[in-house]
Amino acid sequence: AYVVLPVLREKTVDLTVSFIPGGGASADNIQYRVEPETITVAGADEDVAELTEISLGSIDLATVGGAGDIQVTMTIDLDPRLVNVSGVTTATVTFALEGLETRTFQTENITTTELTGYRASVVTQVLSVQIRGTAEDLDLIDPSQIRVVADLSGITSTGTFPVAARVYLDAAGGAGVIGSYTVMVNVSR
């Protein structure tokens, strides 16, 4: 009887991450590091020959707030044809947004999407919205340039509901809204 064992080739590859621009931030504003920087994988020659990096995925900057060092833990997902020789299953991405500030603006400009067969009124009178950008861009923003639109697409009955709202910034410059928002809406017939 013969036993055939596959020969696996080991290779050390970089761990990378990409950033989705948003909330007034882009890759130009970021200094980051990944820990660990590399992992060792093994696989058939044809599977590791051209492999130079493994992407951890993307970080959406519109959803990231805070100042100073921001840390995000990401899972290391490998192609099933590869073996994680290092045994490390997560990586920590530490980054800082440079040259940007975050300010809170108050807006009363809150509306809803259409809801056929119902009447909707916004219960929330004022919403605090966080906007990030350069100091110069933030200085140019007037609260009247901030629009909030409550999404009523999931409403199928009457009552008062918290609903997701989309915030729009109708201003020039590179500033942008960060975070997610909810407003209270009363729905009647």
Side-chain angles (χ1 to χ4, degrees), residues 146-162:
I146 302 167
R147 289 183 298 124
V148 179
V149 180
D151 180 8
L152 302 183
S153 61
I155 302 295
T156 57
S157 61
T158 61
T160 302
F161 306 96

Side-chain angles (χ1 to χ4, degrees), residues 73-93:
T73 300
M74 303 181 83
T75 302
I76 301 171
D77 291 321
L78 293 181
D79 183 295
R81 296 172 295 189
L82 298 176
V83 175
N84 184 338
V85 177
S86 296
V88 179
T89 59
T90 61
T92 301
V93 180

Side-chain angles (χ1 to χ4, degrees), residues 54-116:
I54 293 173
S55 174
L56 297 170
S58 299
I59 297 174
D60 184 352
L61 296 175
T63 64
V64 178
D69 281 351
I70 301 164
Q71 289 191 336
V72 177
T73 300
M74 303 181 83
T75 302
I76 301 171
D77 291 321
L78 293 181
D79 183 295
R81 296 172 295 189
L82 298 176
V83 175
N84 184 338
V85 177
S86 296
V88 179
T89 59
T90 61
T92 301
V93 180
T94 304
F95 62 98
L97 300 171
E98 298 178 342
L100 301 176
E101 297 178 9
T102 301
R103 293 189 194 160
T104 301
F105 292 85
Q106 306 281 324
T107 184
E108 298 174 5
N109 188 4
I110 305 170
T111 61
T112 67
T113 57
E114 292 295 318
L115 185 62
T116 305

